[in-house]
Amino acid sequence: MRRNTERVQSGGDFTLFEKLFADDFVDHTPQPGTTPDKDGVRVLYHALRTAFPDFSAKIHWQTVDGDVVTTYKTYSGTHRGEFLGLAPTGEHVEFETVDAMRVRDGQITEHWGVANLYSVLQQLGALPAHAGK
């Protein structure tokens, strides 16, 4: 899980992505514009790296329960390409995510997660900021 976050998501190592994700991977909470399988995650990761070329993740904590690893992290990057239909703004964004991923035989087989996309849209000016800001 840490290698996925640090080397694939933050580093763009898609060769490692192919090794880490099982071919029969299932995403129970796919993001907009993706499918609930390995191809969908590949599309998402490439889209994030295109929209935010300096995309990186900071792990705050991880916990393991059986074969499920849960990670709380903050993603950040500078908006240089289209994202969720928004043209590049040049804005730097940070948003939190919580991911739970099942690992079997050294591969990621399932995912459940929540990303604070509302915050991203606020930071990019597509939604009003919180009152008082």
Side-chain angles (χ1 to χ4, degrees):
M1 292 308 308
R2 187 168 291 277
R3 289 189 306 153
N4 179 57
T5 300
E6 294 173 350
R7 292 183 46 198
V8 179
Q9 292 177 334
S10 292
D13 184 346
F14 287 99
T15 299
L16 180 59
F17 169 87
E18 296 301 331
K19 294 176 186 175
L20 291 180
F21 281 78
D23 289 338
D24 60 351
F25 169 84
V26 175
D27 191 343
H28 298 280
T29 52
Q31 293 300 313
T34 66
T35 54
D37 53 15
K38 183 175 181 176
D39 288 337
V41 176
R42 187 184 301 108
V43 166
L44 173 64
Y45 285 8
H46 279 287
L48 287 169
R49 299 225 37 98
T50 299
F52 305 96
D54 58 346
F55 188 79
S56 66
K58 177 182 178 188
I59 296 173
H60 300 287
W61 56 261
Q62 285 184 311
T63 187
V64 178
D65 183 10
D67 59 1
V68 176
V69 179
T70 302
T71 307
Y72 171 65
K73 57 193 163 190
T74 300
Y75 290 136
S76 65
T78 308
H79 187 212
R80 304 276 184 216
E82 185 176 312
F83 182 68
L84 296 176
L86 298 173
T89 62
E91 293 292 328
H92 182 79
V93 299
E94 292 187 3
F95 62 103
E96 306 82 18
T97 68
V98 177
D99 290 308
M101 293 185 160
R102 185 177 313 280
V103 178
R104 288 203 178 124
D105 300 322
Q107 289 192 305
I108 301 166
T109 60
E110 292 181 86
H111 168 262
W112 299 262
V114 178
N116 191 350
L117 296 180
Y118 188 85
S119 172
V120 175
L121 294 173
Q122 285 180 317
Q123 292 173 67
L124 297 178
L127 294 174
H130 290 295
K133 287 191 175 183

